[in-house]
Amino acid sequence: MKKKFWKITLGTLIVLLVGADLGGAYYLFNFAFKKGGYSSRGSDASETSTQRWARQQKQERWTQTSFDGLKMKARYYPAPQPTKKTIVVVHGYGDNSLTVGQYSQLFHEAGYNVLTPDGRAAGMSQGKYLGYGWQDRDDLAWWIKQVQKRQGPQGEIGLYGLSMGAAEVMYYLGLKVPKQVKFAITDCGYASIKGELQHELQSLFHLPSFPLLPTANLFAKTIAHYDFYAADTKKTLRQNRIPLFIIHGTKDDFVPTKHARINYDNNHGPKKLWLVSGAKHAQSYQMQPQKYRQKVIQWTQKYFQNEVKNHGTN
């Protein structure tokens, strides 16, 4: 009788634990991945002057259809003077092509064409679930093909990514990168989706990653159709030969600064690391605006061919 009782009790406990894991993981998946979840925090904030610049500046709307049938859109800002040099600016988690206006403006005022795509489930683009940079790397590849088509073989392309957009750029560098892509700049990007979610589980909920993350990944593979465990710069940057400039704040508590050092060590191409003292997440430009402009424009001038020095470094 006792043996039967303990079997029933153990079975009930297992069912409860499995149910709790499934429920918690499904909540985590919707909280972190679904449009309207945590990524929408602060979406009702007042428009900034650089967002107004991004909205009001003379621009074209570009479109493409993703590999899985989503209608994707981007803003293209032609340079003040004709040029075949273009910077693709990739926004971060919870952001869109307008909220990265300060970076678009920085490169545009330096004399470059600027393309700012809206990622999956962001801005003008379709999608129910965020790609965390992993699915998005294929979308980025198609945007780059559009730039190539417009500029021709003489065109030159630079990549800039912020936060999730930085991870997207570093994941993209593991693909077959065309020769027109001359360099990349990434600011506060994470090395792996798994590592970033582990940090957020601990930071926001004070929870261990096991078994929630493996189960959440099952939902990601089933519903969002990608394996976030596969996303890691250890795999992608070891194949990279594009010059990479990594920027990160030393007080970043959203994507810990250790990710910058991991990404730097993972990269096998030409590289540079700048840790901005005292800067929190995505605040390096605000912390040191003049030095930031100077360093990123010097990087573009170093790797764009026949570059003309201009007012962008002031």
Side-chain angles (χ1 to χ4, degrees), residues 159 166 169-170 173 182-187 237 240-247 263-264 266-273 299 303:
L159 306 178
V169 167
M170 291 185 284
L173 293 177
K182 301 300 182 182
F183 63 84
I185 302 170
T186 60
D187 188 338
L237 289 183
N240 177 48
R241 298 297 180 267
I242 303 300
L244 175 62
F245 181 18
I246 297 171
I247 304 170
N263 291 328
Y264 184 83
N266 286 341
N267 187 60
H268 285 203
K271 55 189 177 181
K272 178 180 180 180
L273 174 64
W299 191 256
Y303 292 104

Side-chain angles (χ1 to χ4, degrees), residues 49-55 57-59 74-80 86-91 96-118 160-162 285 292-293 296-297 311-312:
S49 60
T50 53
Q51 287 173 8
R52 284 194 295 275
W53 178 92
R55 179 169 52 81
Q57 183 69 26
K58 179 182 177 182
Q59 62 191 266
R75 300 174 190 271
Y76 177 77
Y77 305 96
T86 301
I87 308 292
V88 182
V89 175
V90 188
H91 68 75
N96 55 57
S97 57
L98 292 178
T99 57
V100 288
Q102 60 187 328
Y103 305 97
S104 302
Q105 187 175 11
L106 185 163
F107 291 113
H108 190 261
E109 291 182 347
Y112 305 115
N113 308 309
V114 176
L115 179 69
T116 58
D118 277 319
Y160 174 91
L162 182 72
Y285 188 17
Y292 195 102
R293 286 194 297 269
V296 299
I297 298 304
H311 63 277

Side-chain angles (χ1 to χ4, degrees), residues 5-16:
F5 170 79
W6 284 113
K7 282 184 177 179
I8 294 172
T9 302
L10 180 60
T12 302
L13 180 60
I14 291 173
V15 169
L16 289 174

